[in-house]
Amino acid sequence: MDKRTKKLILIIVDIILINISFYLSFYLKFDFNIPLIYLSYIAKNFIPITLIKLIIFSYLNLYKNFWRYASIEELIQILTAIFISNIIVLFYFILRRVNFPQNIYILIFIIDILFISTSRLSYRVIRRFKKKKLNSNNNIKRIMIIGAGDAGARIIREFKNNFKLNYKPVVVIDDNEKKIGQRINGIPILGKKTEIVNVVKNKSIDEIIIAIPSADKKQIRDIIDECKKTKCKITILPNMSEYIESKGSINKIRDVRIEDLLCRKEVKLKVEEISEYLKDKNILVTGGGGSIGSELCRQISKFNPKKIIILDIYENDAYNLLNEVKRKYKNIDIKIIIASIRDKQRVNEVIKDLMPDIVFHAAAHKHVPLMESNPKEAIKNNVLGTINVILAAHKYHVKRFVMMSTDKAVNPINVMGASKRLCEMYIQSINNISKTEFVAVRFGNVLGSNGSVISLFKGQISEGGPITVTHKDVTRYFMTIQEAVQLVIQAGAMALGGEIFILDMGEPIKILNLAENLIRLSGFEPYKDIPIEISGLRDGEKLYEELLLYEEEVLLTNNAKIFIAQSQFKDYELLVKEIEKLKEVTSNGSVQDIKEYLQKIVPNYDTLLIKNYRGVRRDTWRN
């Protein structure tokens, strides 16, 4: 049934009920023996009375609400409409000099409330009856809600009102002792998070929904750790900013992700610092269609840049990003450049013609094992391609250049890490002779990026396993894509030139534990449902990643989570000569020749050393 038909039916029902209410009030007042004079008054005035009430009902939106979701707010709306309409009817009769007994108006008001509210709320009753009937025939999921706040109440109300969702809220868990023993929308609050396992067992819970959008990462992780002791599926509402943006919609409920388990608070942007340096500026993002590059474009779009220039060799990703950003920011000026950073002439043309104020350089080959067996491509793209962009930025006086680097550039034992460290050295050395402010941003593994370990594990789980972990003790630093991009943007705001920014990413995470958690979050048991196999460290792979070189000192910034690594290399002319030789070796030499020459020019690069220590301790950063 369409909206117009439903509205018409509701109006017809109201016409009937309004007039029945009026007649019934007189019948009750006069013991079912209405004087003829009053019957005459009613007959002459029933049309204007009906019109007055319908107009007020319509003005107060009684014909626009979704009555299947009717609650106390809608009841108040009905009472207000009935009260105002009856006051206007009273004044109408006073103007017409029609004298009814005063208590007649009270009776009319009471019966109107009874009839009109019943007609609306009965819709919910009928739906509830249908839902119970449907529930008796279907396999309904029994739900535990964690969080007895506004978000939890919304979820319960939505599930109760919408039987098509196939969920039945059974119990609520909350750590607030004052709430335990009470009910929220009819659902009992039975205990704290420490009682989750027992309550799940006693109440036969199928799924747990974490509904505390105000909770920080550590609180969420503690809750998830308790939930993982059950075999229930675990879902979660987003954080507070996403929750407010979605206006509390339960459509935002999602599966728990690995990033929810990062035991630290997310890094947040200092908007007041970054808005001005991006506002009304031309911004070039190389590798703009990739995981980091595309998120950079999304976040930069919030700060009203004059133009965003997306340079990428792969047109499909760039095109999809263009459409996505245009949908959200309709007035933003975006230009797509399909080009390779290896093409020096094309890179120069782009920067000369479009004159970007800021360059974010995200284009790079990043997969360690692939670059280990294809070192020529790593040098051509990561080193020579990056230098093409750097020199163009220097030549055409770009104000600021921010390069994405990696923790693998620290004391590297692989070609990919060595190539990124070489770029860090180039940036620091050219900064001494250039008007452009060159900086690098060093971060760890990015959760959810293309080709990340999470993507690999999810694919292996979907195939029934096994999950392959290279070593039982291997650990990595992790951050979300959003955090990585925020660090990059923040670094751009802080940049004076020559810095390497690093993020305090908390403690490194053991990959074996990551695999076990991902299996549990997918609804399986590690080693029982999905096996885990140790495959051995791959070529160029460290046991532990590091964030600082041996000789690097650390400086604090005004952001407690961001630090500056002070590297010592400054000799630009020497580096240019060495890179020219590296270019020749890359063109004519073997794989081994390239690795050996990289060792000559990149300090601490050792292809034979297997790193089995943590490197510089994080607790020394703040000394």
Side-chain angles (χ1 to χ4, degrees), residues 58-283:
S58 179
Y59 181 75
L60 294 178
N61 297 323
L62 260 60
Y63 300 115
K64 290 185 178 179
N65 285 335
F66 290 98
W67 293 104
R68 62 180 174 179
Y69 301 127
S71 60
I72 189 67
E73 290 84 0
E74 284 72 26
L75 181 59
I76 292 172
Q77 191 177 6
I78 291 171
L79 293 175
T80 303
I82 292 172
F83 177 77
I84 293 173
S85 63
N86 276 290
I87 291 294
I88 294 175
V89 167
L90 172 62
F91 278 106
Y92 167 78
F93 281 124
I94 291 173
L95 292 173
R96 294 294 303 271
R97 303 190 181 208
V98 176
N99 295 316
F100 289 140
Q102 291 183 355
N103 51 8
I104 278 291
Y105 297 105
I106 297 174
L107 280 172
I108 293 171
F109 178 69
I110 293 171
I111 296 173
D112 273 355
I113 291 173
L114 180 65
F115 281 3
I116 302 301
S117 61
T118 299
S119 71
R120 267 49 173 192
L121 299 180
S122 61
Y123 188 76
R124 279 193 64 178
V125 175
I126 294 169
R127 287 181 60 83
R128 184 69 59 85
F129 177 77
K130 286 182 177 180
K131 181 180 177 181
K132 287 184 177 180
K133 186 176 180 181
L134 187 67
N135 288 356
S136 63
N137 298 323
N138 287 344
N139 184 21
I140 301 300
K141 292 180 181 177
R142 294 171 63 83
I143 302 299
M144 169 188 283
I145 310 292
I146 298 180
D150 177 66
R154 282 176 178 269
I155 290 172
I156 293 169
R157 185 163 61 246
E158 180 69 15
F159 285 158
K160 281 189 167 185
N161 290 338
N162 194 339
F163 62 84
K164 292 181 180 178
L165 293 174
N166 220 32
Y167 286 112
K168 180 181 180 181
V170 174
V171 64
V172 179
I173 294 292
D174 198 286
D175 278 348
N176 188 336
E177 292 184 357
K178 294 180 181 179
K179 294 182 179 181
I180 295 173
Q182 299 184 24
R183 288 177 174 263
I184 178 170
N185 286 341
I187 305 301
I189 305 169
L190 293 188
K192 300 181 179 180
K193 68 173 180 285
T194 53
E195 300 170 63
I196 287 173
V197 176
N198 289 333
V199 175
V200 164
K201 184 176 179 181
N202 294 335
K203 295 294 182 179
S204 301
I205 300 300
D206 300 306
E207 185 170 328
I208 299 172
I209 299 177
I210 302 171
I212 318 176
S214 60
D216 61 30
K217 287 280 188 182
K218 188 178 185 310
Q219 290 172 314
I220 293 296
R221 178 166 182 165
D222 290 344
I223 293 169
I224 292 172
D225 284 344
E226 287 298 317
C227 295
K228 285 191 300 185
K229 296 175 185 177
T230 73
K231 293 185 179 180
C232 295
K233 180 181 179 183
I234 310 168
T235 54
I236 189 170
L237 272 179
N239 60 39
M240 183 57 78
S241 59
E242 293 177 283
Y243 178 71
I244 293 171
E245 188 177 331
S246 69
K247 299 180 180 178
S249 170
I250 69 163
N251 292 329
K252 291 294 182 179
I253 293 175
R254 57 167 173 77
D255 290 343
V256 173
R257 302 175 188 145
I258 284 291
E259 49 261 47
D260 294 316
L261 302 181
L262 291 179
C263 195
R264 56 177 171 76
K265 292 183 178 179
E266 289 186 72
V267 175
K268 297 296 182 183
L269 282 173
K270 294 186 177 180
V271 178
E272 67 278 4
E273 290 183 1
I274 65 175
S275 58
E276 287 305 314
Y277 101 93
L278 295 175
K279 185 178 180 182
D280 297 325
K281 299 294 193 302
N282 292 331
I283 314 291

Side-chain angles (χ1 to χ4, degrees), residues 70 144 209 240 345 377 396 406 489 503 543 578 586:
M144 169 188 283
I209 299 177
M240 183 57 78
Q345 182 178 344
E377 300 308 306
Y396 296 107
T406 169
I489 295 176
L503 173 68
L543 199 57
E578 296 290 3
T586 301

Side-chain angles (χ1 to χ4, degrees), residues 419-433:
S419 70
K420 297 300 282 187
R421 175 58 194 147
L422 189 52
C423 290
E424 288 182 355
M425 293 163 61
Y426 198 96
I427 274 179
Q428 289 192 305
S429 60
I430 197 174
N431 185 75
N432 295 326
I433 63 169

Side-chain angles (χ1 to χ4, degrees), residues 401-621:
F401 184 101
V402 183
M403 184 192 80
M404 267 105 282
S405 189
T406 169
D407 55 2
K408 293 171 181 60
V410 179
N411 305 320
I413 66 167
N414 52 63
V415 171
M416 197 284 280
S419 70
K420 297 300 282 187
R421 175 58 194 147
L422 189 52
C423 290
E424 288 182 355
M425 293 163 61
Y426 198 96
I427 274 179
Q428 289 192 305
S429 60
I430 197 174
N431 185 75
N432 295 326
I433 63 169
S434 178
K435 293 181 180 179
T436 302
E437 297 163 348
F438 289 97
V439 298
V441 184
R442 190 187 288 166
F443 45 78
N445 291 33
V446 179
L447 290 168
S449 63
N450 294 334
S452 69
V453 68
I454 301 301
S455 302
L456 172 65
F457 286 171
K458 284 182 176 179
Q460 291 174 332
I461 290 171
S462 67
E463 295 169 359
I467 278 186
T468 54
V469 176
T470 59
H471 192 286
K472 64 183 181 66
D473 293 323
V474 68
T475 65
R476 292 291 182 266
Y477 290 101
F478 281 100
M479 62 196 310
T480 66
I481 291 178
Q482 290 75 22
E483 285 180 313
V485 167
Q486 287 184 11
L487 171 62
V488 171
I489 295 176
Q490 188 80 55
M494 294 178 176
L496 298 175
E499 301 97 339
I500 296 176
F501 293 93
I502 55 176
L503 173 68
D504 181 354
M505 291 180 285
E507 293 298 326
I509 296 173
K510 186 177 280 192
I511 299 298
L512 184 61
N513 293 344
L514 193 72
E516 291 170 346
N517 284 332
L518 193 58
I519 291 171
R520 291 189 184 100
L521 294 179
S522 301
F524 302 106
E525 286 190 49
Y527 307 105
K528 182 179 178 181
D529 300 320
I530 303 290
I532 299 176
E533 293 181 356
I534 305 299
S535 60
L537 289 173
R538 299 170 295 181
D539 287 344
E541 185 174 28
K542 288 183 179 181
L543 199 57
Y544 303 110
E545 293 291 1
E546 305 157 85
L547 294 175
L548 293 171
L549 296 168
Y550 307 134
E551 70 275 9
E552 283 181 328
E553 296 177 359
V554 176
L555 297 179
L556 304 181
T557 70
N558 58 6
N559 186 318
K561 292 293 183 180
I562 300 177
F563 302 84
I564 297 173
Q566 288 282 79
S567 293
Q568 304 301 318
F569 190 87
K570 305 292 183 182
D571 194 336
Y572 177 67
E573 291 184 3
L574 174 61
L575 190 57
V576 169
K577 291 177 183 177
E578 296 290 3
I579 287 174
E580 282 300 317
K581 293 178 183 177
L582 176 63
K583 184 177 180 180
E584 183 180 336
V585 172
T586 301
S587 298
N588 304 316
S590 65
V591 167
Q592 191 58 35
D593 291 336
I594 295 171
K595 291 183 179 182
E596 287 178 359
Y597 201 81
L598 272 175
Q599 284 183 275
K600 290 181 181 180
I601 58 177
V602 178
N604 306 326
Y605 172 41
D606 190 341
T607 59
L608 301 177
L609 183 62
I610 298 175
K611 299 293 181 182
N612 57 2
Y613 54 88
R614 294 185 180 273
V616 180
R617 289 173 53 194
R618 287 174 55 254
D619 57 12
T620 65
W621 293 9

